[in-house]
Amino acid sequence: MTALPVGEALTRIEAELTSFWSSPDEQAGAPMTKVRSSTMSFVAVAASSDVEQARATTDALADTHPGRAFMLTSDGRLAPWEVSYDVRAACRLDGGTPICFDWIEMTFGAMACERAGSVVAALALPEVPVVVEIGRGAPRALLPSLLPRADRLIVDSAHTSASRIVEMLHDGAVPVGDRQFVRTYQWRELVARFFDDALAALGAIHEVTVGRTPGGATEPAALLLGWLGSRLGWGFEARDRARDRQGEPVRVTLRDDPREGLPPGQITGVWIEASLEGQPLSLACVRDLENPKQVAWTRRGARVTSHEHALGHRDEAWVLVKALDATEGDRVLWDALVLAAQWSER
Amino acid sequence: MSFSENVGSGEENPLREGMPDERTVRPASVVIFGASGDLTRRKLLPAVYNLALSRLLPGGFAVVGVARRPKPEFGQEMRDAVAKFSRRKPLDEATWSELEKGMAYVQGDFNDPATYTRLAAELGRLEVERGTGQNRVFYLAVAPAEVPAIVRGLCDAKLVVPPSDAPDASYQRVVVEKPFGEDLASARALNKDLLACLDERQIYRIDHYLGKETVQNLLVFRFGNTIFEPLWTRQHVSHVQITVAEELGVEGRGKFYDQTGITRDIVQNHALQILTMVTMEPPSSWDADAVRDEKVKVLRALRPIRGHEVLEKTVRAQYTAGTVRGDRVPGYREEPDVDPNSKTETYVAMALRIDSFRWGGVPFYLRSGKRLAKRCAEVALHFKPLPHRLFRDAPHSLDGGPPPSIRRGEDEPNVLVVRIQPDEGIALRFATKVPGGGMTMRNVAMDFRYGTAFGSSTPEAYERLILDAMRGDATLFTRADEVEAQWGFIDPILAGWRDHDAPVATYEAGSWGPREADRLLVHGDKWRKP
């Protein structure tokens, strides 16, 4: 890494990138023009201890979302107005054609952080969106100048609370994707499935219980309750009490459910009590005690059904791709985050 | 307003709002008739597995194979097939294991009512165990002659019931593989048989070309961008070439092929489908019937080629021995199970006209063949030449300039090529100034490849189509009137060849087709060599 004042570093980065892109690729034996298809500039803001992980993320992303990747962090040990940087570029052969990508890593000194936004603006690719991901422990000083440059923001409410996310994006003007919202998709889908053939029960829910392993960095039930409540028009009066659209009370219970083999902050089950056609309807979707990757999905009362489903597992590269691409859920996510923040503040 | 007030009024589950469309598939069983066949092993089960791997299958899901042969090891055979033919390897054991739990096999004759009784019992068991409800997709991977009997058997056994518009009603759908008939009369008869006990909304006639990402992208390219569609008219387009070329020969299917020919096998379905997507008007919405209405309009606007016209506007041919990709290959008539005096065409070229305001006067050249120089499916729009050659008399470049052959960029019109396979992508040819003194021009190609932007592992066509059948989206399936309109265009050509004893030209395997095809082109146009 080379440390220089910001302006000088920027000039050198531009020169290195120009040199790379204006020279032919020769790995196929003969000089060939380098080809690029760009879908975005991706800016990963990470704690200095997580740069290695951010690097792996952007490397994996190059296959499906090529463009320019930035990895930004800060380090108090640098001279305040300096920035250290590294530029990487690589080509892979696709059917004999060299397809090329580049990566820019920058560590900002304390005072230089406020210039991160202008650096990204200067180096970001034209015509494609700038996507900013706020990683765990991302230096806060980098964010104020970066967020206004973002066309899409990726967060992770597993380590950044809904309240903090809503505070950062107070008006919801920047579209946001949430890794945790992607990870918990199956829970939402399984809950939605309770009601596919029992829509009337949605207006007659009187109790919701969420089980989770204790010790998560944030409360895992918040996003699920925010989602359920925002879809059904609930307002939270307290953490254990909501009112539905008709003003009827809904009891909310959280259940500590420690499980061997499951990390902290994982949902272990969702139980819903409702009524349908004048009969009680009990709904449960609960991780198996022996195999936590399996859930038992049951309905009792007005509807009787029982199945088992595998929860499966997706790596974080897949989770990020979905957080980037699944924009059809943006409004639903934002509504869920706002209500989750309200619930958390009760 | 309460949710209960809306039940039965078509309201959807609000908890599903914002969930990806393709992930809102309701629990279902997929029943494959012809489960012992090659299509099931090579395409259908690998597609189902990849849907499971992509987590696109619903939680409640089952696959039931039906065929005549006993298959005590059906699960193991399917596992081996998926391990061999899946686009993603190695086999993910957890995904397969979950899929296999909902897998069953029913042996029986398709004409025997007892087969359907056993199938009903198996489906009943799976519906309880796997929570599939009575949602069923019956995939008929069988010969066309067997379709009517299977559909009758399903209806008689009440495994298929008339569709309901209630939001939580179960569904039953029937997917029918191509070929859909062998001429207009047989296609009509088949439609009549199907519609005797099914509603058109329950019938999904498959043309796997429509499941290809790049074929679908033709519509996105045209109707999802503002800059191309205004050029997509007779005012700007000089002619259009559609090529569906294969390197392969008949590959041991000589008997089948000799009764079919490339016109029935490729042109009647794949090539005409591509043509409709290239030329259709913008639909009013991305709705199955809105899209198919526009495609049918194109088919009806295709100027028929009848009687003697086939001699002037079409060319049929057979390959002779030659070299393909460095290998010597025999001629068509020397292939096993092919009649040595066969007149079946392995190549066809046509000059088509579409009688519409948009395309009046624009020639459409369509060709398809086996044992051509390379495997390739593409659409090339050749734009009109410049009305005035501004740079024709410009001096040569001061540094001596390039040789004349590449100084003539101005003379060569722009070409836009949509490559469907392989190297899926889009290329645009345009003229640029060669650096240096003077105004020397040279053509360059701006080339976009899908792999560079989206990676190389795109879903197979059957994945998309099976998922769409489960979702009830028939946009990428052909409708009864569409199939009949396709045959309505092809039938007179086949009749013309027969009635006027149209010559069967020859071409060397590994070439781009017979010389006779050149006479179809007008205004000095030339066939492309993709």
Side-chain angles (χ1 to χ4, degrees):
Chain A
M1 299 273 270
T2 311
L4 289 170
V6 179
E8 205 173 318
L10 188 55
T11 305
R12 292 216 188 168
I13 291 169
E14 284 173 329
E16 286 186 37
L17 290 171
T18 303
S19 163
F20 172 79
W21 284 105
S22 56
S23 61
D25 185 79
E26 304 206 353
Q27 60 181 316
M32 294 181 76
T33 305
K34 291 165 179 162
V35 173
R36 133 174 276 165
S37 289
S38 302
T39 55
M40 64 179 176
S41 294
F42 181 75
V43 184
V45 190
S48 54
S49 56
D50 284 345
V51 165
E52 197 60 45
Q53 192 181 336
R55 200 175 286 145
T57 299
T58 53
D59 282 4
L61 204 57
D63 278 342
T64 56
H65 292 67
R68 178 162 290 169
F70 297 80
M71 278 149 289
L72 307 186
T73 189
S74 73
D75 190 338
R77 291 169 298 182
L78 277 177
W81 289 107
E82 280 195 343
V83 60
S84 67
Y85 76 90
D86 192 17
V87 178
R88 286 191 295 137
C91 299
R92 64 173 163 82
L93 285 177
D94 184 286
T97 304
I99 310 297
C100 306
F101 314 94
D102 55 36
W103 293 261
I104 302 164
E105 293 183 29
M106 301 182 84
T107 303
F108 289 80
M111 303 299 284
C113 284
E114 67 183 37
R115 301 187 184 180
S118 73
V119 170
V120 168
L123 294 172
L125 296 170
E127 313 301 338
V128 289
V130 174
V131 179
V132 175
E133 172 163 41
I134 303 173
R136 181 173 46 196
R140 286 195 174 203
L142 287 170
L143 301 182
S145 70
L146 279 172
L147 294 186
R149 312 272 180 185
D151 296 300
R152 183 169 180 77
L153 195 68
I154 305 297
V155 296
D156 188 347
S157 61
H159 59 66
T160 306
S161 70
S163 304
R164 167 73 182 134
I165 295 167
V166 172
E167 180 196 328
M168 278 193 297
L169 302 164
H170 49 89
D171 55 359
V174 180
V176 62
D178 178 8
R179 286 188 185 232
Q180 180 68 352
F181 200 58
V182 175
R183 291 186 203 106
T184 55
Y185 168 80
Q186 281 189 303
W187 287 102
R188 285 181 280 118
E189 202 280 329
L190 288 164
V191 169
R193 199 185 299 171
F194 284 140
F195 301 97
D196 279 339
D197 62 351
L199 292 181
L202 284 168
I205 293 175
H206 49 83
E207 184 171 357
V208 177
T209 302
V210 181
R212 72 272 195 263
T213 53
T218 61
E219 172 52 69
L223 192 62
L224 193 69
L225 289 168
W227 164 72
L228 189 61
S230 61
R231 289 303 90 214
L232 301 181
W234 295 357
F236 287 104
E237 296 176 333
R239 280 203 167 204
D240 61 356
R241 197 172 63 247
R243 290 271 170 197
D244 71 11
R245 201 176 278 176
Q246 283 83 41
E248 296 297 321
V250 181
R251 190 173 162 205
V252 178
T253 308
L254 302 185
R255 183 185 293 178
D256 277 341
D257 193 6
R259 298 283 188 96
E260 266 185 41
L262 268 188
Q266 299 293 305
I267 292 173
T268 57
V270 180
W271 296 262
I272 295 174
E273 296 296 329
S275 58
L276 180 67
E277 297 151 1
Q279 294 182 58
L281 178 65
S282 299
L283 311 167
C285 183
V286 188
R287 283 189 198 259
D288 189 272
L289 282 172
E290 303 281 312
N291 177 7
K293 290 181 179 172
Q294 193 88 5
V295 294
W297 185 95
T298 54
R299 301 192 297 182
R300 299 275 180 269
R303 295 277 189 277
V304 179
T305 338
S306 175
H307 316 301
E308 286 196 342
H309 298 290
L311 277 179
H313 168 74
R314 285 297 188 182
D315 63 28
E316 283 300 303
W318 185 89
V319 169
L320 175 59
V321 164
K322 290 296 163 189
L324 287 167
D325 291 345
T327 54
E328 65 272 38
D330 281 3
R331 194 179 64 78
V332 170
L333 169 61
W334 180 249
D335 291 347
L337 286 167
V338 170
L339 198 62
Q342 286 174 12
W343 177 83
S344 303
E345 286 157 12
R346 298 294 179 203
Chain B
M1 185 163 47
S2 74
F3 295 102
S4 55
E5 287 167 5
N6 286 315
V7 173
S9 64
E11 187 192 28
E12 293 182 353
N13 185 345
L15 298 183
R16 293 210 173 271
E17 192 181 341
M19 290 184 180
D21 273 354
E22 73 271 21
R23 289 177 177 268
T24 55
V25 179
R26 290 162 62 188
S29 304
V30 171
V31 180
I32 302 173
F33 281 84
S36 57
D38 231 24
L39 184 68
T40 304
R41 289 173 56 247
R42 287 174 177 269
K43 296 290 182 188
L44 301 183
L45 250 297
V48 168
Y49 163 77
N50 275 288
L51 288 172
L53 201 56
S54 304
R55 284 199 193 158
L56 292 172
L57 291 180
F61 182 76
V63 184
V64 182
V66 185
R68 290 190 187 84
R69 291 186 225 165
K71 289 265 176 198
E73 305 293 329
F74 182 65
Q76 184 60 42
E77 280 184 37
M78 292 303 114
R79 185 187 188 286
D80 294 345
V82 168
K84 185 172 179 186
F85 297 114
S86 166
R87 70 183 164 90
R88 289 183 283 194
K89 295 185 178 77
L91 188 78
D92 182 88
E93 292 293 347
T95 302
W96 177 258
S97 157
E98 185 60 23
L99 196 59
E100 198 176 22
K101 282 181 196 165
M103 203 169 274
Y105 183 77
V106 172
Q107 184 203 348
D109 189 298
F110 301 153
N111 291 301
D112 181 359
T115 302
Y116 301 92
T117 307
R118 286 198 297 278
L119 176 60
E122 197 59 41
L123 284 172
R125 179 183 70 79
L126 288 165
E127 281 161 12
V128 173
E129 282 182 15
R130 307 298 297 170
T132 53
Q134 293 191 338
N135 302 320
R136 299 158 185 162
V137 171
F138 296 98
Y139 198 115
L140 310 192
V142 296
E146 295 178 311
V147 170
I150 294 173
V151 172
R152 266 196 309 277
L154 293 172
C155 293
D156 290 348
K158 303 275 188 294
L159 289 167
V160 176
V161 296
S164 159
D165 288 329
D168 51 0
S170 62
Y171 66 79
Q172 294 86 43
R173 297 170 188 140
V174 177
V175 180
V176 185
E177 261 292 338
K178 87 168 185 88
F180 199 87
E182 56 187 32
D183 53 22
L184 179 58
S186 57
R188 278 182 176 154
L190 191 49
N191 276 332
K192 196 175 165 194
D193 282 338
L194 291 175
L195 290 166
C197 71
L198 299 173
D199 187 282
E200 175 65 31
R201 288 172 294 169
Q202 294 177 295
I203 305 169
Y204 289 68
R205 298 170 192 82
I206 210 162
D207 181 338
H208 74 266
Y209 246 60
L210 296 183
K212 288 181 182 289
E213 290 287 336
T214 36
V215 173
Q216 295 162 47
N217 192 57
L218 263 170
L219 297 184
V220 173
F221 186 68
R222 289 187 59 196
F223 304 133
N225 294 290
T226 53
I227 59 171
F228 301 112
E229 190 56 18
L231 303 176
W232 220 266
T233 68
R234 65 185 173 81
Q235 283 83 5
H236 300 286
V237 175
S238 146
H239 71 278
V240 178
Q241 293 192 25
I242 297 175
T243 302
V244 183
E246 297 177 12
E247 294 164 350
L248 296 176
V250 295
E251 305 301 304
R253 297 191 309 152
K255 192 173 177 185
F256 160 79
Y257 206 83
D258 213 31
Q259 293 168 356
T260 307
I262 202 150
T263 310
R264 285 189 174 95
D265 193 34
I266 300 289
V267 177
Q268 180 272 336
N269 37 71
H270 304 329
L272 285 185
Q273 283 294 330
I274 293 173
L275 176 74
T276 58
M277 291 179 122
V278 172
T279 55
M280 66 190 267
E281 293 297 322
S284 56
S285 68
W286 184 244
D287 164 84
D289 276 329
V291 172
R292 297 188 294 184
D293 284 348
E294 296 304 334
K295 286 161 65 186
V296 170
K297 282 184 200 169
V298 171
L299 292 166
R300 288 182 180 151
L302 264 178
R303 192 181 297 172
I305 302 174
R306 292 198 173 102
H308 273 101
E309 286 175 333
V310 296
L311 304 176
E312 182 191 330
K313 294 179 178 166
T314 73
V315 168
R316 61 172 173 170
Q318 287 175 345
Y319 60 82
T320 57
T323 306
V324 180
R325 293 177 67 89
D327 290 331
R328 289 293 297 169
V329 297
Y332 176 66
R333 292 183 182 184
E334 298 146 29
E335 298 271 15
D337 302 323
V338 170
D339 179 352
N341 299 311
S342 170
K343 286 191 167 183
T344 300
E345 79 287 358
T346 62
Y347 172 97
V348 64
M350 302 175 179
L352 311 177
R353 297 285 177 152
I354 297 173
D355 291 324
S356 69
F357 267 49
R358 182 188 284 262
W359 296 116
V362 177
F364 285 80
Y365 304 121
L366 188 156
R367 64 178 164 169
S368 182
K370 286 194 167 292
R371 288 281 191 233
L372 293 180
K374 66 190 257 195
R375 173 175 169 255
C376 161
E378 65 162 40
V379 177
L381 277 83
H382 291 245
F383 289 90
K384 290 191 169 173
L386 292 168
H388 167 61
R389 293 175 182 174
L390 187 61
F391 303 114
R392 183 172 46 187
D393 299 324
H396 294 177
S397 59
L398 296 176
D399 58 4
S405 61
I406 55 172
R407 233 188 321 110
R408 299 178 58 249
E410 196 179 11
D411 290 345
E412 294 177 34
N414 301 121
V415 180
L416 179 68
V417 181
V418 180
R419 288 190 305 267
I420 293 165
Q421 66 181 20
D423 296 335
E424 294 86 345
I426 292 163
L428 178 64
R429 184 177 80 185
F430 59 92
T432 55
K433 179 184 174 298
V434 176
M439 293 300 284
T440 308
M441 298 168 73
R442 189 184 301 173
N443 274 315
V444 294
M446 192 157 65
D447 197 353
F448 166 74
R449 291 169 181 232
Y450 275 86
T452 65
F454 303 109
S456 52
S457 186
T458 51
E460 289 250 5
Y462 281 97
E463 292 172 42
R464 170 67 191 252
L465 295 172
I466 290 172
L467 193 66
D468 278 3
M470 291 170 69
R471 292 170 57 214
D473 182 349
T475 309
L476 300 176
F477 296 83
T478 43
R479 209 169 50 188
D481 55 345
E482 201 175 349
V483 170
E484 291 180 14
Q486 288 171 341
W487 279 119
F489 177 73
I490 293 296
D491 261 13
I493 295 172
L494 299 174
W497 286 344
R498 187 183 58 237
D499 297 345
H500 297 280
D501 200 19
V504 181
T506 57
Y507 61 100
E508 188 181 339
S511 70
W512 274 109
R515 284 201 198 117
E516 287 83 343
D518 293 347
R519 69 171 165 73
L520 298 177
L521 282 69
V522 295
H523 308 311
D525 298 336
K526 289 179 180 166
W527 286 111
R528 289 170 49 75
K529 291 180 180 169

